[in-house]
Each structure stands twice: as structure tokens, then as C-alpha cells.
Amino acid sequence: VIEEGGVKMKLTVIDTPGFGDQINNENCWEPIEKYINEQYEKFLKEEVNIARKKRIPDTRVHCCLYFISPTGHSLRPLDLEFMKHLSKVVNIIPVIAKADTMTLEEKTEFKQRVRKELEVNGIEFYPQKEFDEDLEDKTENDKIRQESMPFAVVGSDKEYQVNGKRVLGRKTPWGIIEVENLTHCEFALLRDFVIRTHLQDLKEVTHNIHYETYRAKRLNDNGGLPPMTVETEENHESNL
Amino acid sequence: QQPAQFSNPETSGYVGFANLPNQVHRKSVKKGFEFTLMVVGESGLGKSTLINSLFLTDLYPERIIPGAAEKIERTVQIEASTVEIEERGVKLRLTVVDTPGYGDAINCRDCFKTIISYIDEQFERYLHDESGLNRRHIIDNRVHCCFYFISPFGHGLKLLDVEFMKAIHNKVNIVPVIAKADTLSLKERERLKKRILDEIEDHGIKIYHLPDAESDEDEDFKEQTRLLKASIPFCVVGSNQLIEAKGKKVRGRLYPWGVVEVENPEHNDFLKLRTMLITHMQDLQEVTQDLHYENFRSERLKRGGRKIEEEVVNKDQILLEKEAELRRMQEMIARMQAQMQMQMQSGEGDSSAVHGQHV
């Protein structure tokens, strides 16, 4: 739980070690999809309960940061497959990692290429076009979608002295890369986007769209009945 | 050629065969040198840029980089480009064998079959030529050295790296190279190098070992060899772009935070890699001939011209796999049937919400 300016936030970070590490990575996104759906299921079960809690504990995944390798060429087949499957169940924000390996031109070219590939393959990353609520949202999000994303970031938890200030950065023999300097990388843009401007919207889209889609599918599969039926089956099981 | 040009004829007992090395030198220079270098590594690690930087040429003038969707269908290709370069009258016929598609697929299980076949084919061809009647113009297309590119974005070797190197370390000289080294700080480099060396040792991977300097070499050369050996695997950055830095034009990469100079030993090991390749080109060829090729030849001749029963083994494997799949599907059907039965029964039962045992 972290606090800032009197506002408390319970932050959960879910890591997925081992993703894409095998020689055969077929379906390696399945455990991830399964986990996300399990959180929806948990929420659904609580929601349909007769005596349900006033504030349902929300363990649903509000945002998935997908790290793209800065090859400078294009997306990898695994990236495409993952995002195709997961963009339907969760908000995906593609991020280009370790961006200090690309020059400004390489960065611009790569981002353009990735954006085009995502578009050609019908992958809707967050913020999704179809969920823009009004013109104001649309203009703001269009700019982000078409120019800034995917954010090319550099991360660091070490501080160095630059021009009299202490900044987060990476030290190399040819200079210091400042993480929060917009001329160096887009970390600040990502941070502002996810935390300062769109945090609430990420939660709302998860709840109003992704979760509702899951819920509708579950109800349809059960013939329009809420998953209470599951309990009955189990009860019947024990009677046998 | 008068002996007077090359020696001291006043020494009594001088025959003149001390001139032989010069004769060998002249003949080799006339004949020219051949070298085949294979580069292996996933896309986007800067292999082509590095090769172009090493040999100050452009081996890939009309290159089109495929998108991810196209890569899904592609298998590993072998692309050999030959270029004749000349420096101070010495001709080098350099063949660079590229392996596009390696490591790209979601399932990389069959990644290295194509590459191993290629290496074996060159050995096979040489063996065939060597055993033939007319041996005047045997062309040596055997792979003398393989630069294996390791990604700097991970924490060491990947499974694929280990498996591939183990599959070819008895066929070709492996020189591991850490690509795009400008993404690592000096400390991160040292850590990564050590980690990779440890993993290479743990897995019993045999990489190319530079021979120690002979005792009669001068100190400088001995020191240089020591430095080279200590720097493996080399962390390299490639570029053929000229950037203005500190008043001179250097080959490098321009970032908002500084310029990475390709030929600056404090920035990366490019110069070390180049030195190693040049001073050990001969040794790389010799080890290929004396070790890898001889291994291949003896294995091949022992087998007596028959292909190993690989095909039979594969068929058995395929059969086993199919049986396992069949079993899995049958289990799945049984489960689905059980579920359907329960759903039908629960439609008739009463709906008390007592928790039963989980199925």
C-alpha cells in the first residue's frame, strides 16, 4: 500500500518470469490468460453472492505492460500472438524496453513500424479506439496512439549528479542517460499516462468492458444462469 | 631472385633455403586467402551492421526486413554472400553465411537443423573433392568460424543459445559475441560476461580457445593475446556511420547523451574482435581442418557412406508422440462427457447451496 498526498493506493505488481524463455513457446500466453480470467471469475462469484461484500475485493488486472524487445526491426511472432490473444481480455500497453540501445532515428522508425504492424494485425492496445467516450477523449487519445505509443523507456533506480541535480539514470563511458529527461527517453510520458492521467480510466475500462465481456460469456455458457449452478453441481456430486 | 637480396652471402655454409618463408609468402599472396564466417543470432541483434563494420563493406545492399507476421511462416534460411576484398595487395575471398530466421519462430525446436545440415554439407563436399581424382582446384567452403550473437537484454545464455552451441561445438569454431553492447554499463558488462562464461562451462560448451602466444614472441604480442583471452566473450557495437566527436570524425552511434565510438576500446571490444579475427584467421582455418573436419571425416568413413538411422528413430518418436496425443484427447473427451452428465443431472436436482467437494 502506497500513499501520496493523503491518497492511499494498494498496488499489486504481477510478474511473469519464464515467459518466452523456452525453445518451444507455443501457447506460453495461456497461463497468463488463465490467471486474468481467474480474477474475473473471483469477482463474478462474489458479485452474484446472496450475501456479498459491500466493496468487492478487486484482484482483476487493470493494466498489462507488454515489453517489446528493442531489435529495431519489427515485432517478434511471439509478441503478435500474445497481444492478439490478450488484448481481448485485458488492457495492454506496449512498451519498448531498454530504449537506450536506439538512436533517435532508429527509435522513430521502429515505433512507426510497430504501430503499423499492430494495426495491420488488428491488435487494439489501450487506449482502445472504440472506447473513446467523447471528442475530447478521442483527440487526446489519438495523439497518444499515433505519436507517442509505444513508449520507448529506460529504467533505473540509481541516482547520479547531473548539472547540479540528482537524477535517476544510467552511467556509461559516453554519457549519463537521464531517465526522466524527455529528450533521452519516454519514461516520464509512460508514467504520466498510466498514473497521472489514465489510472482511473484503466480501471473503468477493465470493469465496464473486459469484465462485462467475461461475465456475459459466462452467463451465456450457463444458459443465462449465474454461476450459482456450480455449487449445486458440486452438492449433487457429494450426494452420489 | 638473387640470394644476395635476402641474406648475407658472406657467411660460409649458407645454402639459401632460409628464403623459403618468403617464397611461401609470395605464393600465398598470389593465391589469395579464403575464409568462411558464419553469423548466427536472433533478428535485430546487429549482426549485419557488425559484419559491415568489421570488413568496412556493405554486404547487404538491398535488404528488406520482414515484419512479424511474415516471420511466423518463415523457416531458417541460409544466405551466403561472398565478397573479394583486397588490402595492400593481399586478396581475401570472404564468405559470410547468414542465418535469417534463427530464433524468430514461436517454436524454435527445428531452428538449427538447417544450419547443421549446411555445415555438414560443406564438410561432405570437401570430403568428396578430397577423395576425387582431380584435386587441383578444391574450393574450401567449410565454415571456419561461427560468431554466435548473444542478446544483451537478458541475464545470460538462453536455452536456445545453450542447445544450439552444444549442437555445433564439435563441428565449428564458436566465437560468442555480446551484441549491441552500448545498452550495458561497464559493470553490467562484466557481470554478463562472467555469467556467460560460467554457463558455458557448466554446460560443457566448447568455444574457440585462442592459442597462447609462443614463448619466442615479443612481449607486446604476448600481452595482447592475454588481453584478448581475458575479454571473451567480446561486447561489441557496430556502425559504419561517421559521427563528429571531439573534433574528429569517428565511426559511431549518436545518442542524445553522447557518442558511442566503435573503435574506442573503452567503449566496446570491437577492436579486440577484429584483432582476434585477423591474427587468428590462420589458426581458425587450421583448427577447422585438423579438428572439426577430421572428426567429421572419421565419423563419415566409419559409417561407410550410409546415412545414420535417424529417419527410423524419428519415425518411432513421431509414433510415440501421436499415441500420447491420442491418449490426451481421449482423456479430454472422457472429462467432457462426465461434465455433461453432471450438468444434466443437476437440472433435476434441488438447488441448496451447500458446498460439495471440488471435482
Side-chain angles (χ1 to χ4, degrees), chain A residues 16-84:
Chain A
T16 54
F19 176 78
D21 280 348
Q22 301 305 311
I23 294 184
N24 181 358
N25 289 311
E26 272 165 10
N27 303 321
C28 65
W29 52 83
E30 272 173 12
I32 297 172
E33 201 175 338
K34 184 160 169 266
Y35 177 85
I36 293 175
N37 283 333
E38 274 170 8
Q39 307 317 305
Y40 290 147
E41 183 68 29
K42 235 195 260 181
F43 196 88
L44 180 62
K45 280 229 174 82
E46 189 56 44
E47 200 181 47
V48 303
N49 225 336
I50 294 176
R52 66 184 180 190
K53 302 197 180 85
K54 180 165 174 210
R55 212 175 142 189
I56 306 177
D58 190 358
T59 58
R60 297 172 299 185
V61 179
H62 300 123
C63 170
C64 170
L65 288 180
Y66 187 77
F67 282 69
I68 297 171
S69 191
T71 59
H73 283 196
S74 67
L75 288 174
R76 284 154 52 225
L78 178 61
D79 300 337
L80 269 188
E81 283 306 299
F82 178 88
M83 287 197 273
K84 258 201 207 151

Side-chain angles (χ1 to χ4, degrees), chain A residues 21-26 29 69-78 80-81 98-106 113 117 121 170-177 183-184 222 229 231-238 240, chain B residues 43-44 63 65-69 71-72 104 106-109 152-153 159-160 163 180 182-186 188-189 253-260 266-267 342-343 345-346 349-352 354-359:
Chain A
D21 280 348
Q22 301 305 311
I23 294 184
N24 181 358
N25 289 311
E26 272 165 10
W29 52 83
S69 191
T71 59
H73 283 196
S74 67
L75 288 174
R76 284 154 52 225
L78 178 61
L80 269 188
E81 283 306 299
K98 298 201 173 183
D100 56 349
T101 197
M102 294 190 284
T103 62
L104 281 177
E105 297 128 9
E106 289 166 350
R113 207 165 162 147
E117 275 194 303
N121 285 283
R170 285 174 60 71
K171 186 148 186 243
T172 65
W174 46 87
I176 296 183
I177 304 160
T183 56
H184 287 194
N222 260 350
T229 334
E231 255 90 65
T232 323
E233 289 164 21
E234 291 167 343
N235 175 40
H236 207 88
E237 241 289 285
S238 64
L240 290 169
Chain B
S43 329
R63 194 165 171 224
I65 298 177
K71 283 193 201 157
I72 292 182
D104 278 349
I106 296 183
N107 184 355
C108 290
R109 220 176 5 184
F153 306 127
L159 254 167
L160 180 63
E163 290 306 308
K180 294 197 169 178
D182 53 356
T183 196
L184 300 166
S185 69
L186 290 179
E188 288 165 349
R189 271 187 220 179
R253 289 172 62 72
L254 175 64
Y255 289 110
W257 47 86
V259 176
V260 180
E266 287 171 27
H267 287 192
M342 284 198 325
Q343 281 194 328
Q345 286 171 347
S346 73
D350 63 295
S351 41
S352 47
V354 176
H355 287 280
Q357 274 230 295
H358 193 68
V359 180

Side-chain angles (χ1 to χ4, degrees), chain B residues 23-294:
Chain B
Q23 297 179 25
V24 173
H25 178 82
R26 276 184 67 113
K27 283 203 178 248
S28 323
V29 170
K30 259 198 186 166
K31 198 172 103 178
F33 296 88
E34 289 176 317
F35 193 77
T36 301
L37 171 67
M38 179 178 261
V39 282
V40 184
E42 12 172 275
S43 329
L45 284 182
K47 303 188 291 292
S48 318
T49 310
L50 185 69
I51 297 298
N52 286 341
S53 309
L54 268 177
F55 299 102
L56 289 173
T57 177
D58 187 4
L59 249 79
Y60 312 94
E62 272 143 36
R63 194 165 171 224
I64 306 170
I65 298 177
E70 293 145 300
K71 283 193 201 157
I72 292 182
E73 294 306 316
R74 220 163 61 140
T75 50
V76 178
Q77 316 282 313
I78 302 280
E79 282 172 9
S81 331
T82 305
V83 72
E84 307 238 347
I85 31 187
E86 185 173 330
E87 192 180 67
R88 289 195 226 169
V90 180
K91 293 197 208 63
L92 173 65
R93 190 167 154 270
L94 170 73
T95 304
V96 175
V97 181
D98 200 357
T99 53
Y102 175 84
D104 278 349
I106 296 183
N107 184 355
C108 290
R109 220 176 5 184
D110 295 332
C111 238
F112 19 111
K113 275 202 205 140
T114 320
I115 300 175
I116 296 180
S117 304
Y118 179 83
I119 298 176
D120 282 342
E121 258 166 49
Q122 308 315 308
F123 280 153
E124 185 75 44
R125 206 177 297 179
Y126 194 86
L127 178 61
H128 179 265
D129 288 350
E130 198 185 47
S131 330
L133 286 174
N134 188 350
R135 306 202 297 182
R136 279 213 75 189
H137 296 291
I138 302 182
I139 298 182
D140 185 4
N141 273 325
R142 298 171 297 185
V143 180
H144 301 117
C145 177
C146 172
F147 280 359
Y148 189 79
F149 282 70
I150 298 168
S151 171
F153 306 127
H155 301 283
L157 294 177
K158 291 215 263 256
L159 254 167
L160 180 63
D161 300 337
V162 172
E163 290 306 308
F164 178 78
M165 286 199 275
K166 279 192 357 201
I168 64 163
H169 64 175
N170 283 323
K171 294 180 186 285
V172 76
N173 296 315
I174 301 180
V175 175
V177 167
I178 299 173
K180 294 197 169 178
D182 53 356
T183 196
L184 300 166
S185 69
L186 290 179
K187 251 198 244 159
E188 288 165 349
R189 271 187 220 179
E190 288 312 307
R191 228 183 310 153
L192 186 60
K193 279 190 188 187
K194 181 166 189 314
R195 179 102 187 233
I196 291 176
L197 286 173
D198 286 344
E199 288 175 340
I200 285 177
E201 199 184 313
D202 287 344
H203 286 104
I205 298 172
K206 295 178 235 167
I207 57 174
Y208 173 70
H209 281 296
L210 279 86
D212 289 318
E214 316 251 309
S215 47
D216 59 345
E217 300 275 8
D218 60 54
E219 270 310 309
D220 279 342
F221 187 77
K222 284 195 199 160
E223 180 58 29
Q224 184 191 70
T225 310
R226 262 196 293 269
L227 257 167
L228 285 182
K229 283 175 92 101
S231 306
I232 291 180
F234 298 118
C235 273
V236 292
V237 174
S239 172
N240 267 338
Q241 273 182 319
L242 286 170
I243 313 277
E244 181 98 24
K246 298 177 213 144
K248 341 180 261 162
K249 276 207 181 283
V250 287
R251 285 194 295 154
R253 289 172 62 72
L254 175 64
Y255 289 110
W257 47 86
V259 176
V260 180
E261 297 166 47
V262 167
E263 287 174 6
N264 184 336
E266 287 171 27
H267 287 192
N268 76 110
D269 298 331
F270 175 82
L271 283 180
K272 293 202 180 85
L273 178 65
R274 189 172 67 185
T275 308
M276 188 223 77
L277 185 61
I278 306 289
T279 52
H280 291 88
M281 218 177 247
Q282 180 69 15
D283 186 62
L284 284 162
Q285 282 180 326
E286 277 176 19
V287 175
T288 306
Q289 165 77 21
D290 300 338
L291 179 65
H292 300 298
Y293 173 66
E294 287 303 314

